[in-house]
Amino acid sequence: MKIVLLPGMDGTGKLFAPLLAVLSGFDCDVIKLPGTGPQDYQSITERVMSKLPSRDFILIAESFSGPIGLALASKQLPHLKGIIFVATFLSPPNRLLLTLAPFLPLKSLSSLPFSNYFHKALFLGADANDELLECFQSIVKSLPGALIKQRLRTMAGLKYQPQTINLPVLYIQALADHLVGKDKVREFQNTFQDLSVREIDGPHFILQANSSESSLAITEFYKQLNP
């Protein structure tokens, strides 16, 4: 059974490198989010669907990709056997930040001297190593500013619509997440009948900051579905 990973707002999948190194024994595919065209969730989901494997898989949906995971689950795809949602949401995660962010020169801010502190405090954690920090900053600088703002507007426009889905789900909650509030897990609990929550100490990018514990949670979930 494959593991398919959907990245956060950067969409590149490059930040999965630390996790994939730990999951080297698994058959993993990263599906990049489209860098051009409409950035609403419906359009992105349709393009992701065209790249899904034609055999059984579990999905890992990180941050921005959470609503994509929900959309795929609601379609009752025969090969989708379970989903791991990571530090994500089904309604806007932080309305104030999402309101201000489209008006900020995000790429320019990443080049300022204090950007290291900003990125560690908000995304990567105080213990983030130089390699991860440089990778994160390189990705941010490489993304078109218009694309970032489109995705921010997409998140800001989210509306949670209650529904009931019977599919095995694991929600990985980062305990030091300053972007996604702890209350967001309730939306998943109200949606998925078969859901468990795994709390892991670390920042929003928990798969990168705490790859070892994250991979353990993923491995345990995988083995439950594929004994």
Side-chain angles (χ1 to χ4, degrees):
M1 187 164 64
K2 294 181 75 71
I3 297 177
V4 175
L5 300 96
L6 299 181
M9 197 179 72
D10 71 285
T12 66
K14 293 178 181 179
L15 286 169
F16 283 135
L19 178 69
L20 292 175
V22 184
L23 294 176
S24 58
F26 293 88
D27 185 3
C28 297
D29 280 349
V30 175
I31 297 181
K32 299 178 183 179
L33 304 185
T36 58
Q39 295 299 311
D40 60 280
Y41 277 119
Q42 182 178 348
S43 298
I44 295 176
T45 299
E46 290 173 357
R47 296 179 70 174
V48 166
M49 277 190 65
S50 67
K51 300 179 181 180
L52 293 174
S54 57
R55 61 187 180 90
D56 291 353
F57 68 96
I58 67 170
L59 187 72
I60 297 179
E62 180 188 44
S63 191
F64 177 84
S65 286
I68 302 172
L70 172 64
L72 294 174
S74 67
K75 294 180 183 297
Q76 299 182 334
L77 304 175
H79 293 297
L80 176 58
K81 300 304 178 182
I83 301 179
I84 300 174
F85 290 101
V86 183
T88 185
F89 44 84
L90 298 179
S91 63
N94 187 318
R95 289 191 179 277
L96 177 60
L97 184 61
L98 289 175
T99 300
L100 294 176
F103 301 100
L104 299 175
L106 298 175
K107 296 184 62 160
S108 300
L109 288 175
S110 295
S111 301
L112 295 176
F114 64 80
S115 64
N116 284 6
Y117 172 80
F118 174 76
H119 290 149
K120 284 185 176 183
L122 207 55
F123 303 110
L124 303 172
D127 297 328
N129 59 41
D130 291 341
E131 183 179 2
L132 177 58
L133 186 61
E134 289 174 8
C135 178
F136 178 83
Q137 292 176 332
S138 173
I139 291 170
V140 171
K141 292 176 183 177
S142 70
L143 293 173
L147 179 64
I148 296 175
K149 292 180 179 181
Q150 275 184 287
R151 290 178 178 165
L152 287 168
R153 284 193 290 268
T154 293
M155 286 191 291
L158 268 175
K159 293 183 180 179
Y160 172 62
Q161 298 179 339
Q163 56 183 303
T164 302
I165 299 175
N166 187 16
L167 183 74
V169 165
L170 171 66
Y171 186 96
I172 294 180
Q173 187 171 55
L175 292 178
D177 194 336
H178 299 304
L179 296 178
V180 178
K182 293 182 179 180
D183 61 316
K184 292 301 174 183
V185 72
R186 295 174 191 164
E187 296 168 349
F188 292 88
Q189 291 170 326
N190 292 335
T191 301
F192 294 96
Q193 293 180 316
D194 183 8
L195 179 141
S196 57
V197 178
R198 183 71 164 263
E199 296 180 343
I200 298 180
D201 187 33
H204 180 66
F205 280 88
I206 192 66
L207 298 180
Q208 294 76 19
N210 198 338
S211 298
S212 58
E213 194 168 343
S214 295
S215 65
L216 179 60
I218 293 168
T219 300
E220 290 174 354
F221 183 76
Y222 179 94
K223 290 181 178 179
Q224 290 174 11
L225 301 181
N226 189 43

